[in-house]
Amino acid sequence: MLSVFFGDREDVIDNPEDYFNGMHALGNYSFMSDPLIKAIISDVDQSEVLDNCLIKSPVLGLIPPMMLSGGVKTLIDIYLEPDEVFNASYCGNNCAKWILKIAENQDITIRLGHTMNFGEQPFKIRIENNGLIVTKMYDFVQQSHRIMFEV
Amino acid sequence: MVGKHKVIIESKSIVYELEIKRNITIIKGDSGRGKSLLVDLIVRYNREKRNAERGKKNGRSVSITCDKECFGYRQFDNDSRSWSDILREHTDCIIFLDETCWFLNTTEFASFVKHSDNYYVLITRENLKGLPYSVSEIYEMYSYKSYDGIIEKHKTGIKNLYSDCSVFSGYSVKPDLIITEDEGSGHDFFESVCIWKKNGVKCISARGKDKIVSRIVPVDGQKTVIIADGAAYGSQMEDTMESMRACGGYTLYLPESFEYLIIRSGIVAEVIENYEDIVYHTYDYADSGKYFSWERYFTDLLTKKTIDTEWKYGKNRLNSIYKLVRNMRAILESITGIDFDR
């Protein structure tokens, strides 16, 4: 299940892009062969994984995983380390469906500093700040706004 | 700083073209569209420039064309100095910061921007509630391929994120309810219009822009117009649009500010003679070193220019001269999209 925390707290990994770069600085990218990670890279960055260390980007040409977008790096962080709380405001709305997909098989908590759009399909998200469970975007927006702007 | 400034950032495979015209510009949108690369290239450009000035012959892989200095900063840079010390070195400059800068949503940064004469391009999705940025200056990136001889290049520009929403479409709505952002002069004016028109439209105040979103609730068959200061409503836009989409029946009207509407109507032309140039080329007048937002510029302009005249303007309480029918009519003529008649 997906839990969302709005705002800031101590245990959040605030810069998941830097975290990704640091964790994989020695070049062990064996996880790149994971079908879900390949699908994320294809969908979000429109890039193709040719090899664990080599990706074909339509804009940048042949690139190493270190040059993936901040959104993709954050999704990979969340997927590989579900016990950590990552700042998912590095992710655009095109990452939202992947966050829900990752949360289908494992419990994850993400931090948001904005209202991510999870789309029109029903979902189940627990708001950590107040314990409420929301199932549609309108309720998610109202809770997010109340916590971030009115409290 | 005043004016609008074209920025072209070019490397071997990609070209960014932007036009910046206010103190705060926001770029957000989907992942994987090249937002971080933009700041990376500016950082690289400045590093290469410094190296060249020190006599190092490392070559130049990035060029920037702009009539102002451009500075990029990502928090990856292992600089021992604080962000404020680094940014303070730059004046009359366009500063590009991205989401790696953890401080963007802090009150310290908002205060820093307020007292700075730079223009800031902020690449982030964070809610920056301390910064009064305009809905017109929220952009997303788009790109397309082009060819420089046989070399393929990706050209990337920015487009308004909210240009195609009902806010700007200009279709006319007859409201049953009007919600204004504040309780002051703007609310007083629209309430007076409804009384004059005897249209039965209720006019209420949300008591602050932060409280508008929670007013957007599903109501069957009721048409509601929300009126707020577009020049400072940027931080609320995403939540407002999503709530409106879910509920239906809501229209958003976002002039720069109520003071902008008064000035644009021409009724105070005797004290603000060049008002047309001011409203159409505000970027040439609203100095970012003096004004946190265009909303504050228009308020200051109207207040100061009318101070010893019959048009004396106060933000908290509306001078009755603005509620004379001829003046209300003149102001309404410049409003498109809302029909106050029954």
Side-chain angles (χ1 to χ4, degrees):
Chain A
M1 185 178 171
L2 173 61
S3 296
V4 170
F5 178 80
F6 291 107
D8 295 305
R9 67 182 195 195
E10 284 291 310
D11 63 338
V12 170
I13 294 173
D14 202 45
N15 187 336
E17 193 178 353
D18 199 29
Y19 182 85
F20 179 97
N21 293 346
M23 286 301 282
H24 309 296
L26 296 178
N28 181 4
Y29 296 116
S30 54
F31 56 84
M32 293 293 283
S33 58
D34 186 293
L36 183 76
I37 290 178
K38 282 185 174 179
I40 287 171
I41 292 169
S42 171
D43 180 57
V44 177
D45 281 2
Q46 282 125 43
S47 298
E48 184 187 356
V49 177
L50 301 177
D51 185 76
N52 285 352
C53 295
L54 194 63
I55 295 149
K56 188 180 178 187
S57 157
V59 178
L60 303 170
L62 296 175
I63 58 167
M66 211 69 97
M67 289 182 71
L68 289 165
S69 69
V72 163
K73 287 178 185 172
T74 306
L75 287 171
I76 294 174
D77 286 337
I78 294 167
Y79 179 54
L80 296 180
E81 301 195 45
D83 292 335
E84 299 288 355
V85 181
F86 290 98
N87 175 11
S89 278
Y90 272 63
C91 296
N93 288 335
N94 57 338
C95 298
K97 70 175 181 185
W98 294 107
I99 291 174
L100 292 172
K101 179 90 180 163
I102 292 167
E104 282 176 7
N105 297 317
Q106 46 196 356
D107 290 335
I108 55 171
T109 301
I110 59 170
R111 175 267 174 190
L112 286 176
H114 77 293
T115 309
M116 179 173 277
N117 194 326
F118 285 97
E120 294 179 23
Q121 297 299 316
F123 49 71
K124 194 173 178 185
I125 296 175
R126 181 175 177 276
I127 312 270
E128 282 236 333
N129 304 68
N130 56 20
L132 290 177
I133 290 176
V134 293
T135 56
K136 59 179 193 279
M137 204 46 214
Y138 174 77
D139 294 335
F140 185 71
V141 172
Q142 291 292 321
Q143 290 302 322
S144 150
H145 193 271
R146 205 158 290 158
I147 293 163
M148 287 196 280
F149 285 96
E150 295 180 39
V151 175
Chain B
M1 189 190 295
V2 293
K4 60 178 176 182
H5 305 280
K6 192 167 186 177
V7 186
I8 301 172
I9 300 149
E10 186 163 8
S11 74
K12 195 172 180 182
S13 60
I14 192 161
V15 185
Y16 289 91
E17 287 190 17
L18 324 168
E19 191 171 72
I20 311 298
K21 54 182 180 288
R22 296 198 204 208
N23 61 338
I24 305 167
T25 298
I26 305 290
I27 301 177
K28 47 172 73 174
D30 283 344
S31 294
R33 300 296 176 266
K35 297 186 294 297
S36 301
L37 182 62
L38 167 66
V39 187
D40 270 340
L41 292 179
I42 300 168
V43 170
R44 175 175 284 275
Y45 170 83
N46 285 310
R47 189 168 59 235
E48 290 174 350
K49 191 177 162 191
R50 277 196 308 275
N51 285 338
E53 285 164 1
R54 289 172 189 157
K56 289 185 181 174
K57 295 176 181 172
N58 294 348
R60 304 290 287 268
S61 62
V62 183
S63 69
I64 295 180
T65 308
C66 183
D67 63 344
K68 295 288 178 184
E69 180 199 345
C70 293
F71 175 73
Y73 180 57
R74 302 195 80 200
Q75 202 83 56
F76 294 125
D77 302 342
N78 295 320
D79 206 313
S80 56
R81 295 171 303 159
S82 70
W83 60 264
S84 53
D85 285 344
I86 293 166
L87 299 187
R88 204 170 282 120
E89 290 174 356
H90 302 273
T91 57
D92 198 37
C93 173
I94 302 174
I95 294 183
F96 292 74
L97 304 171
D98 77 355
E99 57 207 352
T100 61
C101 300
W102 58 269
F103 51 83
L104 296 182
N105 61 0
T106 62
T107 50
E108 290 79 15
F109 180 66
S111 175
F112 189 90
V113 172
K114 185 178 180 180
H115 298 103
S116 157
D117 70 347
N118 297 312
Y119 280 6
Y120 291 85
V121 179
L122 308 178
I123 300 171
T124 181
R125 300 180 189 90
E126 290 284 325
N127 279 326
L128 307 176
K129 60 181 177 181
L131 292 175
Y133 58 95
S134 166
V135 295
S136 305
E137 304 305 330
I138 305 174
Y139 297 92
E140 61 181 346
M141 285 187 162
Y142 70 93
S143 62
Y144 57 93
K145 281 183 190 175
S146 73
Y147 287 87
D148 181 4
I150 57 167
I151 299 172
E152 183 182 284
K153 276 204 169 182
H154 283 260
K155 291 203 169 179
T156 301
I158 53 175
K159 61 179 180 182
N160 282 107
L161 198 55
Y162 297 110
S163 60
D164 60 348
C165 66
S166 61
V167 187
F168 306 102
S169 66
Y171 75 88
S172 200
V173 60
K174 282 181 186 286
D176 303 302
L177 175 68
I178 292 173
I179 301 174
T180 62
E181 177 183 333
D182 289 320
E183 301 172 276
S185 291
H187 176 262
D188 200 358
F189 174 80
F190 287 106
E191 193 171 50
S192 301
V193 167
C194 293
I195 292 167
W196 161 46
K197 295 280 186 179
K198 295 179 184 163
N199 56 15
V201 176
K202 200 174 167 191
C203 186
I204 62 171
S205 162
R207 302 188 174 185
K209 67 180 174 188
D210 290 353
K211 293 178 180 157
I212 287 176
V213 168
S214 58
R215 294 270 184 173
I216 304 173
V217 293
V219 182
D220 278 347
Q222 178 175 277
K223 287 179 185 165
T224 303
V225 170
I226 297 166
I227 302 174
D229 294 341
Y233 197 69
S235 63
Q236 306 294 315
M237 204 51 189
E238 206 160 7
D239 290 352
T240 303
M241 294 303 291
E242 188 54 35
S243 296
M244 284 171 51
R245 190 198 59 74
C247 293
Y250 286 81
T251 301
L252 197 51
Y253 179 61
L254 299 173
E256 295 284 353
S257 69
F258 177 58
E259 294 77 17
Y260 164 87
L261 284 177
I262 292 175
I263 295 167
R264 193 178 68 173
S265 73
I267 60 174
V268 290
E270 63 191 79
V271 289
I272 307 175
E273 290 171 6
N274 58 338
Y275 75 92
E276 283 180 317
D277 195 51
I278 287 173
V279 296
Y280 290 111
H281 304 105
T282 310
Y283 45 79
D284 284 332
Y285 294 89
D287 187 336
S288 64
K290 288 184 188 166
Y291 300 104
F292 206 10
S293 72
W294 287 10
E295 184 265 335
R296 299 203 183 171
Y297 166 72
F298 287 120
T299 302
D300 189 55
L301 178 70
L302 187 60
T303 306
K304 283 181 177 162
K305 290 283 187 183
T306 59
I307 194 160
D308 291 321
T309 73
E310 62 177 336
W311 295 100
K312 185 174 180 179
Y313 178 79
K315 197 166 178 61
N316 296 328
R317 194 163 171 220
L318 191 62
N319 179 342
S320 57
I321 195 169
Y322 294 100
K323 293 191 264 188
L324 295 176
V325 168
R326 68 170 187 275
N327 293 329
M328 287 196 287
R329 187 176 286 128
I331 294 170
L332 291 185
E333 275 174 10
S334 68
I335 297 176
T336 53
I338 310 172
D339 184 354
F340 291 91
D341 291 318
R342 266 291 176 267

